[in-house]
Amino acid sequence: MITVKDLYKSFGKLQVLNGINCHISPREVVCVIGPSGSGKSTFLRCVNQLEKPDSGTVTIDGVELTSPRTDINKVRQQVGMVFQHFNLFPHRTTLENITMAPVVIKKTNKAGAQLVARELLRKVGLSDKDDVYPAQLSGGQKQRVAIARALAMQPKVMLFDEPTSALDPEMVGEVLEVMKDLAKEGMTMMVVTHEMGFAREVGQRVLFMDEGLIVEENTPEQIFENPTNPRTQSFLSKVL
Amino acid sequence: MQLLDPHIFALNILQPILDAHGFQIVSQNMGNFLHGTLLTLEITALSVLFGMFLGLLAALLKMSRYKVLSIPGVIYIDFFRGTPLFVQILLFYFGILPLVFDASSFQAAVIVCSLNSGAYIAEIVRAGIQAVEKGQMEAARSLGMNNRQAMWHVILPQAYKVVIPPMVNEFIAMLKDTSLVAVIGAEELTHSGRILVSVTYEAAWIWGTVALIYLLLTRVLSMLGDYLERRLATE
Ligand SMILES: Nc1ncnc2c1ncn2[C@@H]1O[C@H](COP(=O)(O)OP(=O)(O)OP(=O)(O)O)[C@@H](O)[C@H]1O
Ligand SMILES: [Mg+2]
């Protein structure tokens, strides 16, 4: 589904990604963990080309995103992204946040898009919040709307960049619940997270990143019980 | 205390004013002042309106990644912000426009003021766009919108709140600056003043009246601006 080959990325003099290779299969849920500044967000953002890698390739569903001939907007419609800080559109209601992309991009008619949007709101447990503006929502509710907004484009893959890091602790659960449901339905997911509990329970594979490299990858049981790399061991001993 | 007595006030203060020659000239020519005022408002409104289109276009050009687009944007903005409006009026009315078509002084006034206003509005718009959080563009693009769709549906609707207050200031500045087009004989408030002074010699009365009318207009506009700003803040 997603294949990443020899991905390099630097910001000025700072080398952030040092040759990332990985493959993610359809319906797989992969969690990415690692210390702050190790390049997790940059990696994820290279996957949908929000950052342009210096070299290397990203292929999704057979389409090479890094090729100049690829219509990146077309590919991004199939790759949903959820941000740490939600980035909901503050000038639009919850429902409009969700219908905007299908209406603007796919020219879906408004009524049809609203029908889908209401169904998605129900799915994330916010049926009664269709008419409010993002400013009136709690952090957890905002993130659930952001997930619904991404799902409205019917993506084949969902990318999550620390979706619960900006939330008060009591709201983390409600967002993780929605993500768990999504995983159960068979969505292909890449999740950068500090929630080791989630990685362990929902993740089928865990990638440990350090200094721009995937240093270790394995099943959650193996990574958390028997990490082999010393850097993984030292990181986990600090966070667990 | 005596001054407040309406009878004494009327006799000693009001009467001499009403009797003054200048006052009579002013009141007899109210029609001319009104005509000039309307034209000043018309030139200003048209210029700011066209200026908004030009400004939005120039701002987007200047922010483009492509040099063929951004360089014309930069040249346009720098030229009209970096030279005096007075010189622009002379240059266009006597120099450039005659090469293109036979422009009336009113048309020339609107064209030059629009171009000038557009350059200032471009910078206002650019600041407004840059004030929108970076994550908004990223969210829009990550959904699959192209740059134009993201600008139109996500960025600009948020930028306009930041843009309104400086836009009102631009309108006020333009209103005052249109007085410069009197030099090419465009009929507006300052021009009316010049004509009246040249035939009546009541400079103090007439220019005083002209100044007062400008003051009144700019006050009303800035009150309107304050009202808009308060409404946007509570929205
Ligand atoms: N746009 C940018 N310009 C310059 N430097 C950047 C940019 N984005 C990221 N960096 C730098 O690249 C490095 C890796 O950043 P990245 O956000 O990928 O790390 P991360 O693993 O996601 O960290 P965290 O857990 O704190 O989110 C950091 O040193 C960061 O400061
Ligand atoms: Mg990060």
Side-chain angles (χ1 to χ4, degrees):
Chain A
M1 183 97 216
I2 306 178
T3 307
V4 176
K5 274 202 191 117
D6 295 324
L7 205 61
Y8 285 84
K9 172 75 188 173
S10 57
F11 293 108
K13 283 209 175 76
L14 182 71
Q15 191 66 39
V16 179
L17 299 182
N18 287 306
I20 301 263
N21 285 288
C22 82
H23 177 82
I24 292 163
S25 310
R27 308 174 72 86
E28 199 178 11
V29 177
V30 173
C31 293
V32 183
I33 62 170
S36 181
S38 57
K40 305 181 297 293
S41 298
T42 307
F43 172 34
L44 206 65
R45 294 160 56 82
C46 280
V47 170
N48 71 351
Q49 302 286 299
L50 278 183
E51 299 290 356
K52 263 205 146 347
D54 300 338
S55 64
T57 59
V58 178
T59 310
I60 297 181
D61 228 15
V63 181
E64 190 190 316
L65 277 64
T66 29
S67 151
R69 283 187 306 277
T70 302
D71 178 0
I72 189 62
N73 298 317
K74 200 108 207 143
V75 180
R76 284 195 186 126
Q77 293 171 29
Q78 300 168 3
V79 183
M81 184 156 199
V82 175
F83 301 86
Q84 184 174 356
H85 296 288
F86 330 123
N87 299 346
L88 289 179
F89 305 135
H91 59 300
R92 291 283 178 264
T93 64
T94 303
L95 199 72
E96 291 165 341
N97 261 272
I98 304 173
T99 56
M100 186 191 288
V103 170
V104 169
I105 304 169
K106 289 186 178 166
K107 316 286 177 216
T108 310
N109 72 53
K110 228 178 188 145
Q114 285 179 349
L115 216 64
V116 175
R118 284 184 207 286
E119 176 57 27
L120 285 167
L121 276 177
R122 197 191 53 73
K123 186 166 160 175
V124 300
L126 292 170
S127 293
D128 52 333
K129 300 286 186 195
D130 57 340
D131 216 17
V132 306
Y133 284 87
Q136 294 155 273
L137 297 173
S138 73
Q141 293 171 333
K142 280 183 195 159
Q143 197 60 298
R144 285 185 279 156
V145 173
I147 294 172
R149 177 178 68 177
L151 291 175
M153 289 302 283
Q154 298 174 303
K156 296 180 188 155
V157 183
M158 285 283 284
L159 310 175
F160 295 84
D161 190 1
E162 301 198 27
T164 57
S165 297
L167 299 180
D168 292 336
E170 71 268 20
M171 294 172 184
V172 169
E174 64 195 51
V175 173
L176 293 181
E177 263 331 297
V178 170
M179 292 168 62
K180 267 183 219 170
D181 289 344
L182 213 52
K184 263 187 229 144
E185 291 170 16
M187 177 63 79
T188 310
M189 293 162 62
M190 270 184 85
V191 187
V192 173
T193 185
H194 288 153
E195 294 293 329
M196 299 304 156
F198 177 85
R200 197 188 284 250
E201 188 186 338
V202 186
Q204 283 145 26
R205 192 149 48 105
V206 175
L207 311 181
F208 172 72
M209 274 184 74
D210 195 21
E211 295 181 0
L213 277 172
I214 297 174
V215 175
E216 185 168 356
E217 61 172 292
N218 218 322
T219 60
E221 297 79 48
Q222 284 301 314
I223 288 261
F224 291 117
E225 308 303 334
N226 297 307
T228 54
N229 191 294
R231 286 194 268 174
T232 320
Q233 291 164 353
S234 120
F235 172 74
L236 287 175
S237 70
K238 275 180 235 149
V239 298
L240 286 183
Chain B
M1 233 29 235
Q2 268 197 341
L3 277 180
L4 293 178
D5 182 324
H7 187 69
I8 294 176
F9 178 78
L11 205 67
N12 293 331
I13 309 232
L14 217 51
Q15 201 56 50
I17 293 179
L18 294 176
D19 288 341
H21 178 248
F23 181 83
Q24 286 173 2
I25 293 290
V26 167
S27 48
Q28 279 161 18
N29 289 289
M30 247 353 194
N32 292 358
F33 287 115
L34 194 67
H35 178 72
T37 304
L38 287 178
L39 278 160
T40 286
L41 285 172
E42 200 174 323
I43 295 172
T44 307
L46 284 173
S47 299
V48 174
L49 187 72
F50 293 142
M52 285 200 263
F53 289 107
L54 285 169
L56 180 58
L57 184 70
L60 294 175
L61 284 178
K62 183 170 174 176
M63 286 190 299
S64 167
R65 315 178 254 138
Y66 305 107
K67 285 224 155 59
V68 281
L69 298 178
S70 69
I71 289 175
V74 170
I75 291 174
Y76 163 65
I77 293 169
D78 284 358
F79 176 79
F80 281 95
R81 281 165 50 98
T83 55
L85 176 58
F86 194 60
V87 173
Q88 291 163 18
I89 291 166
L90 297 174
L91 174 64
F92 274 77
Y93 187 60
F94 295 112
I96 295 176
L97 288 178
L99 303 176
V100 188
F101 75 114
D102 185 20
S104 71
S105 53
F106 177 82
Q107 290 168 330
V110 171
I111 290 172
V112 180
C113 290
S114 299
L115 287 166
N116 180 274
S117 196
Y120 284 92
I121 290 174
E123 291 297 281
I124 294 173
V125 170
R126 205 166 64 91
I129 288 172
Q130 279 166 355
V132 177
E133 213 194 310
K134 198 165 141 273
Q136 292 291 310
M137 181 53 108
E138 292 189 342
R141 296 307 299 273
S142 79
L143 288 163
M145 289 189 210
N146 61 32
N147 195 55
R148 195 172 45 77
Q149 292 166 328
M151 267 293 165
W152 192 250
H153 294 280
V154 177
I155 306 298
L156 291 177
Q158 295 184 63
Y160 95 98
K161 279 193 182 187
V162 189
V163 161
I164 292 276
M167 204 73 117
V168 174
N169 289 339
E170 168 59 21
F171 202 97
I172 291 172
M174 196 75 256
L175 184 98
K176 291 186 291 180
D177 288 348
T178 53
S179 66
L180 291 170
V181 303
V183 75
I184 56 170
E187 288 176 55
E188 41 71 72
L189 185 52
T190 303
H191 186 259
S192 312
R194 269 179 28 147
I195 301 283
L196 281 175
V197 169
S198 72
V199 293
T200 65
Y201 302 105
E202 285 289 352
W205 279 92
I206 288 167
W207 289 125
T209 306
V210 167
L212 213 61
I213 295 175
Y214 275 116
L215 182 63
L216 196 74
L217 294 176
T218 53
R219 282 312 306 154
V220 168
L221 278 174
S222 87
M223 271 154 56
L224 202 73
D226 290 346
Y227 168 77
L228 270 179
E229 210 167 326
R230 253 178 290 125
R231 274 213 31 195
L232 286 174
T234 55
E235 216 177 60

